[in-house]
């Protein structure tokens, strides 16, 4: 398994609308994708682009708002009512090879491999096995996916 680039930093928020204002007015962000519901995961998602170098895209910020009280993000926000960093997402070339790699290392995988917000397969690793960070592993988006470099 070969680690790819840091694709995005997930930030849980009680309000995507308020978070967009923060990233625009305080952080100077200029490119926001249209928010959309990811019902299978119980969240609304909005990607914020950061600038890269030499014409490349930077790492994205993934704003995540719960769709309802049963959303996994809702419990996280109970502990972090203003919102907070939720996870880091790294790309890999082959999601099944990566899953096999992490399982072989004894890392706890949270749930099945599923389709994530970029339209590519993902899975999450337990923070207790990943230096205290909830870690998303994502297959590198192909051309025409929701967003890719």
């Amino acid at each position: 398994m070969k680690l790819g680039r840091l694709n995005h930093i997930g930030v849980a928020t009680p309000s995507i609308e308020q978070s967009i204002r923060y990233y625009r007015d305080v952080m100077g962000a200029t490119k926001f994708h249209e928010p959309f519901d990811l019902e299978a995961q119980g969240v609304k998602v909005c990607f914020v682009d950061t600038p890269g170098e030499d014409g490349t895209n930077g790492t994205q910020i993934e704003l995540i708002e719960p769709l309802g009280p049963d959303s996994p993000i809702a419990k996280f926000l109970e502990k972090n009512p203003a919102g907070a960093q939720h996870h880091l997402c790294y790309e890999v070339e082959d999601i099944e090879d990566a899953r096999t790699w992490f399982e072989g290392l004894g890392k706890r995988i949270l749930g099945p491999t599923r389709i994530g917000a970029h339209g590519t397969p993902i899975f999450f690793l337990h923070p207790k096995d990943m230096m205290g960070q909830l870690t998303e592993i994502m297959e590198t988006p192909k051309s025409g996916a929701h967003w890719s470099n």
Side-chain angles (χ1 to χ4, degrees):
M1 204 259 335
K2 180 182 172 190
L3 179 67
R5 73 180 206 80
L6 176 64
N7 181 278
H8 66 265
I9 299 168
V11 176
T13 176
S15 169
I16 283 178
E17 185 179 313
Q18 290 176 3
S19 293
I20 287 173
R21 281 196 298 271
Y22 166 80
Y23 279 96
R24 183 189 61 228
D25 300 344
V26 176
M27 300 302 293
T30 59
K31 187 168 181 191
F32 301 87
H33 294 257
E34 189 67 33
F36 62 97
D37 292 350
L38 191 59
E39 292 184 24
Q41 295 186 33
V43 295
K44 177 181 279 193
V45 175
C46 178
F47 287 102
V48 181
D49 289 354
T50 65
E53 295 180 5
D54 300 321
T56 64
N57 293 313
T59 300
Q60 288 185 309
I61 307 297
E62 179 188 38
L63 301 174
I64 326 164
E65 177 184 327
L67 284 177
D70 296 330
S71 169
I73 300 298
K75 286 190 176 201
F76 181 84
L77 286 172
E78 285 176 13
K79 297 175 186 172
N80 304 279
Q85 179 184 319
H86 182 258
H87 67 272
L88 299 175
C89 177
Y90 296 96
E91 293 181 11
V92 296
E93 291 180 15
D94 185 290
I95 198 75
E96 290 308 318
D97 286 351
R99 189 177 178 101
T100 300
W101 169 264
F102 286 112
E103 286 173 337
L105 294 174
K107 305 300 182 188
R108 287 172 280 182
I109 297 175
L110 303 172
T113 300
R114 54 201 174 272
I115 300 301
H118 285 96
T120 63
I122 65 162
F123 62 83
F124 285 89
L125 294 156
H126 198 289
K128 290 184 179 177
D129 295 337
M130 302 300 291
M131 298 179 57
Q133 301 169 27
L134 179 61
T135 303
E136 179 180 356
I137 302 298
M138 161 185 156
E139 193 164 276
T140 300
K142 308 298 184 250
S143 179
H146 173 71
W147 184 88
S148 63
N149 282 345

